Amino acid sequence: MTRAASNMSTGEKLLAIIEDISLISKEIIENTIAMKHQKLLGAEQVLLTELLVLKDNELKETLKLAAEQAEINQKMDLLRAEVDKLDQDIQNLQRQLKEAEQILATAIYQAKQKLQSINRANKRPVSSEDLIKFAHRISSSNAVSAPLTWQPGDPRRPYPTDIDMRVGFLGRLSDMPLNGHMLQQPNSLGDMHRTGHHPEPPASQQNQFAWHPSGEIHMSVGQGTVPMDTRNHTKDNEDVEVMSSDSSSSSSSDSQ
Amino acid sequence: MESSHDNQDQHTNDLPARLSVEDVDVDFLPIIYDIIRGLEKDPHESSQKPSHSQDISQKVLELHKKLELAKEQIKRLPGVEYSKEQQLDKLEALRTQLKLKRDLLLKYRTMCTFDIPKA
């Protein structure tokens, strides 16, 4: 029953010893009964008893070992808990790093786009004065927002008029052969910029359909609010003069 | 015999999830001794005294029970699923693992110095 102890677990060893004790005690008891009947005097019995005591001692020793191992086991449990904790920390950290990577990647991508547009803008600068002139021209005819004093019945437009619509891109779709190129926003900006530097002849023709003349027409139609109209009229006219020195926005689309 | 009975009852009544070595009842020798003495005391008349032989068989049964109980208890002992050498190896492995993980965390912590690329 004495097996190679090194490969056996302590638990198996303890069980084996108990098994041994059980077998030896059984043997001893049987021997005792046999001796009782046959009057045998057993040297074997003595040996068995010694073996039993030996096994008992071995059992106690192994139990001491088991006690030590229980302590080690406790240490291992602590270590395991700590390892688990670190595992979680590492996982958290990795997840956060991954998130940070994503955020940074997005930021870099956006920053690159921004740099690209900055470069593009630097290549073809638009003067702020030009921009302001265009803005003036667009807003002076009340096409973007109604005048502050506007009331129902006021002929000045808080809305685009028929003529405005016809002059715009949508109106032109029907009567002009278009290349899709023109419809793109950045290109129209580029066109504006280009035409700003090279005013083209059609601009003067287009003036009759541009913002200000149309505003004029409407003002003359709505007779009820004449005094207010004239005041705005003169103001508009000034604007028209300023603006018409440049190319109009409609001429920019014409240049295509 | 009474005391051993009490002992057994105590063990079967409250079963803690994790036993300690002190809880394992391994006092087999006194019972074996009792049995042998009982057998030797009455070599000739054991058959005529049924109560005496009953007593002995009771004790044999008790011994058997005690052995079985000890086996059960040993199976529930913590940390005896390995031999001590194996267990120490595993302990060492856990320590190494812990150290590696600590190092990894430390590496992560010191890693976060970004080089700003020149645009």
Side-chain angles (χ1 to χ4, degrees), chain A residues 205-223:
Chain A
Q205 293 172 1
Q206 285 299 320
N207 266 347
Q208 54 193 316
F209 292 115
W211 307 97
H212 315 291
S214 67
E216 222 171 300
I217 290 164
H218 274 264
M219 278 174 232
S220 59
V221 169
Q223 307 235 328

Side-chain angles (χ1 to χ4, degrees), chain A residues 183-225:
Chain A
L183 291 172
Q184 289 164 14
Q185 195 96 17
N187 282 332
S188 64
L189 184 75
D191 294 338
M192 233 169 73
H193 160 72
R194 200 168 55 207
T195 51
H197 284 283
H198 312 285
E200 297 192 353
S204 55
Q205 293 172 1
Q206 285 299 320
N207 266 347
Q208 54 193 316
F209 292 115
W211 307 97
H212 315 291
S214 67
E216 222 171 300
I217 290 164
H218 274 264
M219 278 174 232
S220 59
V221 169
Q223 307 235 328
T225 55

Side-chain angles (χ1 to χ4, degrees), chain A residues 1-6 8-26 48 50-66 69, chain B residues 24-29 32 63 66-68 70-72 74-75 77 80:
Chain A
M1 288 303 273
T2 49
R3 276 183 264 170
S6 60
M8 267 167 78
S9 80
T10 310
E12 282 172 30
K13 223 191 278 181
L14 282 170
L15 289 179
I17 293 170
I18 289 181
E19 197 64 35
D20 288 353
I21 289 176
S22 155
L23 284 172
I24 293 167
S25 57
K26 196 176 152 200
L48 279 173
E50 274 172 9
L51 192 58
L52 182 65
V53 174
L54 205 72
K55 281 287 166 189
D56 192 61
N57 285 340
E58 199 184 330
L59 180 64
K60 302 236 156 87
E61 286 300 314
T62 316
L63 276 176
K64 266 186 215 161
L65 182 68
Q69 285 191 244
Chain B
V24 182
D25 182 11
V26 288
D27 288 331
F28 306 122
L29 292 192
I32 298 173
L63 175 65
K66 200 163 179 165
L67 286 166
E68 290 302 314
K71 279 191 207 166
E72 285 306 311
I74 281 166
K75 279 176 195 160
L77 278 181
V80 293

Side-chain angles (χ1 to χ4, degrees), chain A residues 90-106:
Chain A
I90 288 173
Q91 268 174 8
N92 273 346
L93 203 54
Q94 277 174 340
R95 210 185 53 233
Q96 282 168 1
L97 279 176
K98 195 87 198 153
E99 274 172 30
E101 191 202 354
Q102 269 182 357
I103 293 170
L104 284 177
T106 320

Side-chain angles (χ1 to χ4, degrees), chain A residues 11 19 68 82 87 94, chain B residues 71 80 82 84 101-102 108:
Chain A
E19 197 64 35
E68 283 172 32
E82 211 161 331
D87 258 347
Q94 277 174 340
Chain B
K71 279 191 207 166
V80 293
Y82 308 111
K84 188 161 181 183
K101 283 176 198 283
R102 278 214 179 105
Y108 272 138

